[in-house]
Amino acid sequence: DAGVIQSPRHEVTEMGQEVTLRCKPISGHNSLFWYRQTMMRGLELLIYFNNNVPIDDSGMPEDRFSAKMPNASFSTLKIQPSEPRDSAVYFCASGTGGSGGNQPQHFGDGTRLSIL
Amino acid sequence: GQQVMQIPQYQHVQEGEDFTTYCNSSTTLSNIQWYKQRPGGHPVFLIQLVKSGEVKKQKRLTFQFGEAKKNSSLHITATQTTDVGTYFCAGPLIKAAGNKLTFGGGTRVLVKP
């Protein structure tokens, strides 16, 4: 079975550019999560969706970050404009059930983002 | 605010030895989950504990949920090089909008052959 699929795996871009990260959750999963991982801050939840609806976006750092889930099989995380401090590994995860904290989550391989 | 904390941050283990890593929450948890992340990899779900005092085993790994459901532990016996990685515990942070999983800082395990 296919797991969570993220693209691109690596992204290197210059400060000020728009960055779009993509995620395809596991088929049948109705919850989707975007995380950011850095050495300093660990694994942080940015936003999560349930049935394509954003439930909690309190972890989104600032207005430069936005996320969408137009359908059950696709989500994007966009950073515009990007800054060097956005450099991190971004993970997408999916799960079943309606509550974000009560279900096991299946992570994708992540996107390693470097902003120069 | 509600936090999930793990100790130790780093664990150097001689191959073949046992060790335990601990997870503590500032509030009672409805469940605790454990994940393992290999170097350069992504977190992989290991197990979920729900009941007070629950103990679950996966081969050489033993997971325990505290009686008060505020702490948990992971014990690994006869450590192998395949156990290298960072082990995270995670618990739900209860908010008005629904709860979300809060990860501890992780215990990074290094195995000396």
Side-chain angles (χ1 to χ4, degrees):
Chain A
D1 289 341
V4 175
I5 300 173
Q6 291 187 246
S7 65
R9 289 295 309 276
H10 303 273
E11 175 90 11
V12 181
T13 191
E14 292 187 344
M15 174 178 159
Q17 297 297 307
E18 178 179 291
V19 173
T20 300
L21 311 182
R22 297 173 176 79
C23 176
K24 177 179 169 57
I26 293 172
S27 177
H29 283 190
N30 62 347
S31 293
L32 183 139
F33 310 84
W34 282 101
Y35 288 90
R36 178 173 67 177
Q37 187 175 42
T38 61
M39 289 295 293
M40 290 298 294
R41 300 176 67 89
L43 198 58
E44 303 174 278
L45 177 67
L46 301 177
I47 185 171
Y48 86 89
F49 296 84
N50 190 53
N51 293 325
N52 312 337
V53 176
I55 302 301
D56 186 345
D57 65 354
S58 59
M60 296 286 263
E62 47 198 274
D63 293 344
R64 298 184 297 107
F65 285 69
S66 62
K68 293 182 180 180
M69 191 165 186
N71 57 63
S73 59
F74 184 66
S75 177
T76 59
L77 178 67
K78 188 173 292 187
I79 307 173
Q80 166 65 16
S82 58
E83 297 183 3
R85 60 191 167 123
D86 302 331
S87 298
V89 180
Y90 290 80
F91 288 106
C92 175
S94 69
T96 58
S99 178
N102 291 332
Q103 55 186 280
Q105 296 180 13
H106 302 264
F107 284 73
D109 289 336
T111 295
R112 187 171 296 275
L113 178 64
S114 295
I115 309 296
L116 307 178
Chain B
Q2 183 177 347
Q3 294 182 341
V4 177
M5 297 151 287
Q6 288 185 251
I7 53 170
Q9 188 176 359
Y10 296 94
Q11 180 81 55
H12 292 81
V13 190
Q14 190 72 43
E15 188 173 14
E17 291 185 344
D18 303 352
F19 78 90
T20 303
T21 178
Y22 300 90
C23 175
N24 296 290
S25 169
S26 56
T27 61
T28 301
L29 301 171
S30 60
N31 76 93
I32 191 89
Q33 299 177 29
W34 285 89
Y35 292 77
K36 177 183 178 181
Q37 184 176 20
R38 294 183 183 275
H42 59 274
V44 174
F45 172 75
L46 295 177
I47 208 157
Q48 182 180 33
L49 304 171
V50 179
K51 299 177 183 176
S52 170
E54 187 172 12
V55 178
K56 287 188 177 180
K57 292 189 176 183
Q58 288 182 351
K59 297 182 181 179
R60 295 178 296 101
L61 277 59
T62 301
F63 303 85
Q64 185 167 9
F65 203 6
E67 293 291 338
K69 300 182 75 173
K70 294 180 69 174
N71 57 71
S72 181
S73 64
L74 161 58
H75 181 79
I76 300 182
T77 59
T79 304
Q80 300 177 358
T81 55
T82 54
D83 296 324
V84 165
T86 301
Y87 293 82
F88 294 97
C89 65
L93 170 64
I94 299 173
K95 297 182 69 175
N99 57 50
K100 65 179 186 180
L101 209 55
T102 299
F103 282 77
T107 293
R108 185 175 176 185
V109 176
L110 303 171
V111 179
K112 294 177 282 187

